[in-house]
């Protein structure tokens, strides 16, 4: 493909040409004749989203540290370029070399969201690669995938050659070494997959057979190849301090979702919220050393020129050295003109003194996630936060000068009643009332409270993985009930789309039979399902009808403990018995202590590190 042809004629026809030209600050370029492996690192969404994803930056840096490998980026072309590429038969290309990714050795896809599944097929199609792995030849790249969605890889198992279960820092080098050695000895792709299957964390779906009972549940899930393991155990980086972190992240030419330096404080979460998949699959908590974080902050700011640092994790306020780190980042002379943001704060840990330091000039809105309006419901989901915590945290925020607070909730949680739903607008009003308890001279600005609700989706490897999901009609009824009872003078209410939540729920807990549904939906024209303006639920409904399949079987049906779940072959370290015990406690409305207060014997101690062992010393 002629790069000049693409730039001069095609790119002038699209909305944001900078999404496709590469050459950004810190982008990595190599001589393709001097490398043995070409790797296309793919994010199945638009550039603006993908370039804000920390995992992509980590993998790009990690792979490009190898002299024998050139890792390049590829994103889903936005609809304008997508149309032109299809009309003019332009194959999908990598940003750095502008060469077709169909000529590469690997296409590695990071999957963060189930609603991107049709985008994965679109990427393969535009790349002129057969959609089904069984139809590919030795001339096609190996297609692999990782990320949180591959903790149930079955709905897309027909399209992917192998899945990487876990964190990339652990096995990617071993995988690339094996591939290089194998290819130098003239080995085939199938023979390489046999080698890959022996590496911990690698799942090759074609090496397994699934049979079903008449009612559609799984009868057996067994290996059909001697190299395939009955259980695939996730791999995780236990020493976060020594992990290879991108010190020169790429600086885009255009504004992306997050234009800032990102410091990863730790992985995992100690809280144990029963709806949260990430809190289970990333266990145990593994912190990064304070001094390393200080060094990384200064180095990355110097290498990027960003004027904001964001401290991220699943629950930033749980970092044991947060106050010390925040104080350093605020006071360091090298960071004098750099703002600090603290997402993922818990309202019960709200530190007004810390927040005043962080945002002493501009008071942006504060975001908290109580998840449920009533205390009973928060106990069911093990949120371990009281109404007093919420109201006091909001009051302290108001006293600190904030007048905008966003609160996130879920609707359709297990055992939820109408009273629990009505508790959401009531809690919003109670927060408004807190505002009016302040002295009048502190209420000069207009109060802005935003309540947002999403719909609960049971996910694999959570205590709620056995639960049925509410129907779209039920979701909408609950949202209407809140909207009817909200005080619209001081409170704004936003609700997520119910149809999107239904399809996400289907894909989250689906089995191999959904491959056929996804393929049919894609063939009907589904693109960018994660974007509300492009999502078309009719295409999904038609696909299920034409295949004589019931979507409710996957999301609305309650599972029994004895049922084989499509993801049961994956070992996250957390015991299934622990998840079921938590499920039973949820039904009783009983809470469980978090990992910082006591060990719950979940099984994650098998990784021999992190908070499991830190508590013992």
């Amino acid at each position: 493909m002629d790069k000049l042809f693409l730039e001069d004629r095609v790119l002038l026809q699209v909305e944001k040409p900078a999404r496709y030209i590469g050459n950004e600050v810190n982008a990595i370029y190599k001589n393709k004749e001097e490398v043995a492996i070409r790797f296309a690192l793919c994010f199945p969404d638009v550039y603006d989203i993908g370039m804000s994803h920390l995992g992509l930056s980590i993998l790009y840096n990690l792979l490009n540290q190898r002299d024998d490998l050139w890792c390049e980026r590829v994103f889903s072309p936005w609809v304008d370029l997508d149309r032109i590429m299809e009309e003019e038969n332009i194959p999908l290309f990598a940003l750095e070399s502008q060469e077709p990714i169909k000529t590469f050795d690997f296409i590695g896809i990071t999957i963060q969201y189930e609603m991107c599944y049709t985008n994965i097929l679109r990427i393969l199609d535009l790349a002129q690669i057969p959609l089904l792995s069984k139809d590919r030849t030795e001339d096609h790249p190996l297609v692999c995938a990782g990320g949180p969605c591959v903790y149930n890889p079955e709905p897309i198992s027909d399209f992917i050659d192998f899945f990487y279960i876990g964190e990339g820092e652990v096995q990617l080098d071993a995988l690339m070494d094996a591939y290089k050695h194998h290819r130098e000895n003239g080995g085939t792709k199938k023979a390489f997959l046999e080698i890959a299957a022996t590496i911990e964390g690698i799942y090759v779906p074609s090496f397994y057979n699934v049979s079903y009972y008449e009612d559609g549940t799984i009868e057996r899930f067994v290996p059909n190849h001697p190299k395939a393991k009955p259980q695939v155990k996730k791999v995780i980086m236990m020493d976060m301090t020594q992990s290879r972190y991108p010190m020169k992240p790429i600086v885009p030419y255009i504004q992306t979702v997050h234009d800032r330096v990102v410091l990863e404080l730790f992985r995992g979460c100690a809280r144990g919220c029963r709806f949260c998949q990430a809190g289970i699959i990333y266990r145990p908590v593994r912190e990064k050393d304070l001094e390393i974080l200080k060094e990384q902050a200064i180095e990355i700011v110097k290498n990027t020129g960003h004027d904001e640092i964001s401290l991220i994790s699943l629950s930033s306020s749980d970092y044991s050295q947060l106050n010390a780190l925040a104080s350093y980042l605020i006071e360091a002379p090298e960071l004098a003109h750099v703002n600090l943001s603290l997402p993922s704060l818990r309202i019960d840990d709200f530190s007004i003194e810390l927040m005043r330091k962080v945002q002493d000039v501009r008071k942006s809105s504060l975001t908290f996630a109580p998840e449920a309006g009533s205390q009973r419901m928060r106990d069911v989901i093990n949120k371990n936060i009281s109404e007093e915590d919420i109201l006091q945290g909001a009051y302290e925020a108001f006293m600190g000068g904030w007048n905008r607070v966003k609160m996130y909730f879920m609707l359709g949680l297990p055992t939820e009643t109408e009273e629990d739903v009505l508790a959401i607008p009531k809690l919003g009003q109670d927060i408004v009332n807190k505002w009016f308890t302040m002295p009048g001279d502190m209420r000069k600005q207009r109060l802005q409270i935003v309540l947002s609700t999403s719909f609960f989706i049971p996910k694999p490897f959570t205590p709620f993985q056995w639960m049925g999901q509410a129907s779209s009609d039920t979701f909408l009824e609950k949202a209407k009930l809140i909207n009817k009872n909200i005080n619209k003078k001081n409170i704004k209410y936003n609700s997520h789309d119910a149809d999107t939540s239904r399809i996400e729920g289907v894909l989250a807990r689906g089995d191999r039979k959904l491959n056929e549904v996804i393929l049919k939906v894609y063939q009907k024209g589904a693109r960018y399902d994660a974007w509300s303006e492009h999502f078309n639920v009719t295409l999904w409904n038609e696909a299920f009808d034409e295949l004589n399949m019931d979507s409710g079987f996957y999301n609305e049906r309650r599972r029994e403990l004895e049922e084989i779940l499509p993801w049961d072959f994956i070992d996250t370290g957390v015991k299934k018995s622990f998840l079921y015990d938590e499920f039973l406690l949820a039904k009783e409305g009983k809470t469980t202590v978090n990992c910082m207060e006591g060990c719950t014997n979940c099984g994650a101690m098998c990784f021999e590190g992190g908070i499991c062992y830190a508590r013992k010393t």
Side-chain angles (χ1 to χ4, degrees):
M1 182 176 60
D2 188 339
K3 179 181 175 182
L4 292 178
F5 167 80
L6 187 68
E7 289 182 351
D8 288 349
R9 192 173 66 81
V10 176
L11 291 183
L12 290 176
Q13 302 178 54
V14 301
E15 179 186 2
K16 294 182 180 180
R19 288 169 168 161
Y20 314 107
I21 60 176
N23 291 308
E24 307 103 318
V25 173
N26 295 332
I28 297 174
Y29 289 83
K30 299 184 179 182
N31 184 342
K32 67 178 183 179
E33 307 302 330
E34 296 177 357
V35 297
I37 304 172
R38 301 285 297 278
F39 196 110
L41 184 58
C42 170
F43 195 95
D45 207 326
V46 72
Y47 175 96
D48 317 38
I49 303 292
M51 283 302 296
S52 300
H53 181 58
L54 175 61
L56 190 83
S57 181
I58 289 174
L59 294 176
Y60 183 81
N61 168 74
L62 178 75
L63 288 167
N64 273 316
Q65 287 183 6
R66 296 179 63 109
D67 293 333
D68 59 355
L69 184 150
W70 187 12
C71 175
E72 304 182 49
R73 295 161 295 145
V74 60
F75 303 93
S76 294
W78 190 238
V79 292
D80 47 9
L81 182 59
D82 181 294
R83 175 182 53 81
I84 297 170
M85 293 176 71
E86 182 172 44
E87 290 174 352
E88 305 197 12
N89 198 34
I90 300 172
L92 186 61
F93 53 91
L95 263 60
E96 282 76 4
S97 66
Q98 299 282 302
E99 294 184 353
I101 62 173
K102 65 181 178 180
T103 65
F104 284 37
D105 298 287
F106 289 91
I107 296 177
I109 307 170
T110 179
I111 314 176
Q112 302 296 312
Y113 184 31
E114 291 89 348
M115 299 308 292
C116 288
Y117 286 170
T118 53
N119 269 23
I120 293 173
L121 299 194
R122 187 58 178 163
I123 283 169
L124 295 174
D125 215 358
L126 286 175
Q128 300 173 4
I129 295 169
L131 301 183
L132 298 173
S133 57
K134 66 182 179 62
D135 294 334
R136 297 177 200 139
T137 70
E138 294 294 323
D139 296 328
H140 295 115
L142 284 157
V143 179
C144 55
C149 286
V150 307
Y151 281 84
N152 177 21
E154 292 302 276
I156 53 171
S157 56
D158 287 351
F159 314 120
I160 307 297
D161 293 313
F162 69 91
F163 292 90
Y164 185 113
I165 314 294
E167 297 171 356
E169 295 98 331
V170 184
Q171 296 286 27
L172 271 178
D173 273 332
L175 196 63
M176 294 301 102
D177 287 342
Y179 175 77
K180 182 181 177 182
H181 180 266
H182 179 71
R183 194 181 64 175
E184 287 174 349
N185 287 279
T188 64
K189 282 172 56 177
K190 182 178 179 182
F192 171 71
L193 291 175
E194 293 174 349
I195 296 172
T198 66
I199 298 175
E200 192 165 55
I202 303 301
Y203 167 55
V204 182
S206 61
F207 290 173
Y208 296 78
N209 289 336
V210 186
S211 59
Y212 299 88
Y213 291 112
E214 287 188 7
D215 65 358
T217 59
I218 295 175
E219 178 184 21
R220 298 179 72 222
F221 184 100
V222 293
N224 61 31
H225 193 286
K227 297 290 187 181
K229 300 180 286 290
Q231 286 269 297
V232 178
K233 188 171 185 177
K234 77 173 183 184
V235 291
I236 57 173
M237 187 71 187
M238 292 306 299
D239 188 349
M240 288 302 299
T241 297
Q242 297 302 317
S243 64
R244 290 176 282 176
Y245 199 73
M247 303 308 293
K248 290 185 176 182
I250 296 172
V251 182
Y253 287 129
I254 61 173
Q255 184 175 3
T256 57
V257 174
H258 299 304
D259 282 324
R260 58 198 183 196
V261 170
V262 176
L263 286 185
E264 186 180 24
L265 305 182
F266 60 88
R267 291 184 190 166
C269 183
R271 291 291 171 174
C273 297
R274 292 174 178 140
F275 59 85
C276 182
Q277 183 189 53
I280 296 295
I281 63 176
Y282 296 128
R283 287 190 180 199
V285 171
R286 295 147 284 147
E287 285 195 352
K288 190 176 289 187
D289 181 74
L290 172 63
E291 296 306 315
I292 291 294
L293 287 169
K294 292 178 181 178
E295 295 172 8
Q296 289 180 348
I298 291 175
E299 185 70 15
I300 298 173
V301 166
K302 182 177 71 174
N303 291 332
T304 62
H306 283 308
D307 60 2
E308 182 176 348
I309 295 174
S310 179
L311 308 182
I312 70 160
S313 66
L314 291 175
S315 180
S316 298
S317 53
D318 286 338
Y319 181 57
S320 62
Q321 301 293 317
L322 180 61
N323 281 312
L325 177 61
S327 296
Y328 174 82
L329 297 177
I330 292 167
E331 298 166 4
E334 301 93 331
L335 305 174
H337 303 291
V338 179
N339 293 316
L340 180 62
S341 68
L342 289 169
S344 304
L345 286 177
R346 287 176 58 89
I347 199 166
D348 56 332
D349 285 339
F350 185 82
S351 168
I352 196 64
E353 180 181 354
L354 176 59
M355 293 305 296
R356 278 175 175 159
K357 287 181 181 179
V358 170
Q359 296 181 336
D360 58 350
V361 177
R362 56 184 180 89
K363 294 289 193 292
S364 64
S365 62
L366 291 175
T367 301
F368 300 111
E371 310 293 0
S374 69
Q375 190 59 50
R376 188 194 77 83
M377 203 70 254
R378 287 191 292 272
D379 290 344
V380 168
I381 64 176
N382 205 45
K383 188 66 180 178
N384 282 319
I385 182 174
S386 69
E387 184 163 329
E388 181 182 353
D389 292 330
I390 297 169
L391 295 178
Q392 185 61 30
Y395 181 77
E396 290 184 1
F398 297 151
M399 292 294 289
W402 281 268
N403 67 309
R404 291 173 290 169
V405 176
K406 298 177 182 178
M407 311 282 280
Y408 285 96
F409 300 87
M410 285 187 289
L411 290 176
L413 287 162
T415 77
E416 183 180 70
T417 66
E418 182 175 304
E419 184 179 354
D420 296 318
V421 175
L422 289 173
I424 294 175
K426 180 184 182 301
L427 182 58
Q429 185 58 46
D430 289 343
I431 291 172
V432 171
N433 295 341
K434 272 291 184 183
W435 167 266
F436 286 104
T437 64
M438 292 196 306
D441 61 346
M442 297 193 68
R443 291 187 273 114
K444 295 178 181 179
Q445 294 178 297
R446 184 175 180 274
L447 175 64
Q448 299 176 48
I449 303 292
V450 179
L451 305 185
S452 295
T453 59
S454 61
F455 297 120
F456 167 66
I457 300 169
K459 292 293 178 88
F461 296 108
T462 68
F464 294 148
Q465 65 181 357
W466 292 277
M467 294 295 295
Q469 180 181 339
S471 67
S472 295
D473 288 344
T474 302
F475 279 149
L476 291 174
E477 289 170 5
K478 293 173 184 290
K480 288 178 181 177
L481 185 61
I482 291 178
N483 195 50
K484 181 181 177 181
N485 288 275
I486 210 87
N487 174 5
K488 296 181 175 62
K489 182 178 179 181
N490 297 109
I491 302 174
K492 180 181 178 182
Y493 174 55
N494 298 321
S495 178
H496 192 59
D497 177 65
D499 285 329
T500 304
S501 299
R502 176 172 69 87
I503 299 303
E504 181 185 344
V506 169
L507 298 177
R509 293 189 292 170
D511 56 28
R512 287 195 177 188
K513 288 181 282 188
L514 285 186
N515 282 274
E516 195 173 0
V517 176
I518 295 169
L519 180 59
K520 184 170 282 290
V521 170
Y522 170 73
Q523 292 169 340
K524 286 177 171 290
R527 310 283 188 274
Y528 278 105
D529 285 315
W531 294 69
S532 58
E533 63 265 40
H534 295 289
F535 174 67
N536 185 350
V537 72
T538 300
L539 302 181
W540 289 91
N541 293 338
E542 289 176 352
F544 275 105
D545 288 342
E546 291 170 17
L547 293 168
N548 294 315
M549 294 176 64
D550 176 17
S551 65
F553 175 82
Y554 293 103
N555 64 334
E556 296 180 19
R557 177 178 63 89
R558 176 174 169 172
R559 281 76 167 161
E560 299 300 328
L561 177 62
E562 298 77 18
E563 181 176 335
I564 297 175
L565 303 175
W567 52 90
D568 274 348
F569 70 94
I570 296 175
D571 179 5
T572 66
V574 177
K575 296 176 292 188
K576 191 174 182 179
S577 59
F578 168 80
L579 296 178
Y580 195 73
D581 287 343
E582 285 291 293
F583 165 66
L584 297 177
L585 289 172
K587 291 202 297 183
E588 297 176 19
K590 295 181 179 179
T591 60
T592 302
V593 297
N594 66 59
C595 300
M596 295 175 288
E597 296 176 3
C599 181
T600 56
N601 193 30
C602 73
M605 194 174 286
C606 67
F607 293 103
E608 300 182 348
I611 194 172
C612 302
Y613 278 65
R615 286 186 67 258
K616 297 171 65 176
T617 58

